[in-house]
């Protein structure tokens, strides 16, 4: 999990905004999956996870359902126009665009979110969540099987070759 959070920050720094946002939008699902014994991130669990971690901060701006549907649209799981939660459209403003949008703004049935701020808010919330669930079940069981970076390889495979597995 820490590697994913670090990679989101590296993507923001490298201006790889699509990947930073995609990684960020995956976080509520990862958290949700790790909180349940079956390890499955269903849409209702994703929404609850988002609303629990960021619902207060983004109240009246963005819901877990909207966030889930934006994520699904990015992954081509559910086209955005067909599955929109409300008549409002959610957009993420790219940093340095010279706009006067604050962290969030609403105008003409569009919710404008500052991409950098949103990504940082989410990663901060997940870091807090990690501290709270560390050493608890089912989190620890799921962490044992999560894909992670192995900087020195995996015993029995090609050792000393960094890999994701």
């Amino acid at each position: 999990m820490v590697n994913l959070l670090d990679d989101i920050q590296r993507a923001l720094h490298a201006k790889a905004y699509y990947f930073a946002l995609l990684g960020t939008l995956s976080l509520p699902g990862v958290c949700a999956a790790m909180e349940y014994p079956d390890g499955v991130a269903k849409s209702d669990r994703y929404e609850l996870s988002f609303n629990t971690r960021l619902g207060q901060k983004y109240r009246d701006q963005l819901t877990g359902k909207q966030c889930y549907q934006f994520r699904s649209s990015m992954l081509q799981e559910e086209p955005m126009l067909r599955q929109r939660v409300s008549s409002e459209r959610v957009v993420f403003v790219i940093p340095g665009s010279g706009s006067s949008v604050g962290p969030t703004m609403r105008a003409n049935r569009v919710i404008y979110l500052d991409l950098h701020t949103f990504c940082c808010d989410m990663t901060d919330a997940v870091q807090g969540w990690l501290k709270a669930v560390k050493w608890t079940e089912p989190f620890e069981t799921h962490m044992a099987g999560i894909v992670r970076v192995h900087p020195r390889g995996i015993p029995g495979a090609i050792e000393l070759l960094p890999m994701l597995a």
Side-chain angles (χ1 to χ4, degrees):
M1 281 291 289
V2 173
N3 288 327
L4 178 55
L5 298 175
D6 289 346
D7 280 354
I8 291 168
Q9 292 302 316
R10 280 191 281 278
L12 285 171
H13 183 70
K15 299 181 181 180
Y17 299 123
Y18 188 92
F19 290 105
L21 184 58
L22 189 57
T24 298
L25 291 172
S26 74
L27 293 173
V30 173
C31 295
M34 297 184 100
E35 292 176 328
Y36 289 87
D38 64 6
V40 176
K42 300 175 182 176
S43 61
D44 59 331
R45 292 176 180 178
Y46 179 104
E47 292 168 24
L48 178 62
S49 179
F50 176 87
N51 291 336
T52 299
R53 288 174 204 19
L54 286 179
Q56 192 67 4
K57 185 166 191 127
Y58 285 88
R59 185 181 63 224
D60 301 327
Q61 296 297 325
L62 184 68
T63 67
K65 189 172 199 100
Q66 289 168 310
C67 191
Y68 178 78
Q69 290 186 334
F70 197 98
R71 168 222 163 267
S72 297
S73 178
M74 285 186 80
L75 293 171
Q76 295 299 310
E77 293 177 351
E78 297 176 23
M80 180 66 97
L81 296 175
R82 192 169 45 98
Q83 296 293 326
R84 218 178 270 166
V85 176
S86 67
S87 62
E88 291 182 301
R89 182 175 185 166
V90 175
V91 299
F92 290 88
V93 178
I94 294 185
S97 60
S99 72
S100 60
V101 173
T104 61
M105 186 177 94
R106 211 182 209 118
N108 301 323
R109 295 187 358 224
V110 178
I111 301 167
Y112 298 90
L113 301 164
D114 179 79
L115 186 141
H116 187 272
T117 301
F118 178 79
C119 291
C120 290
D121 287 346
M122 182 69 78
T123 57
D124 289 349
V126 171
Q127 286 173 345
W129 171 80
L130 280 171
K131 290 177 186 172
V133 297
K134 192 173 185 178
W135 310 119
T136 65
E137 286 298 331
F139 174 80
E140 286 297 321
T141 297
H142 293 313
M143 275 303 292
I146 199 168
V147 172
R148 70 182 83 226
V149 173
H150 298 272
R152 299 192 181 276
I154 299 173
I158 300 174
E159 294 185 34
L160 302 178
L161 179 65
M163 59 185 74
L164 279 169

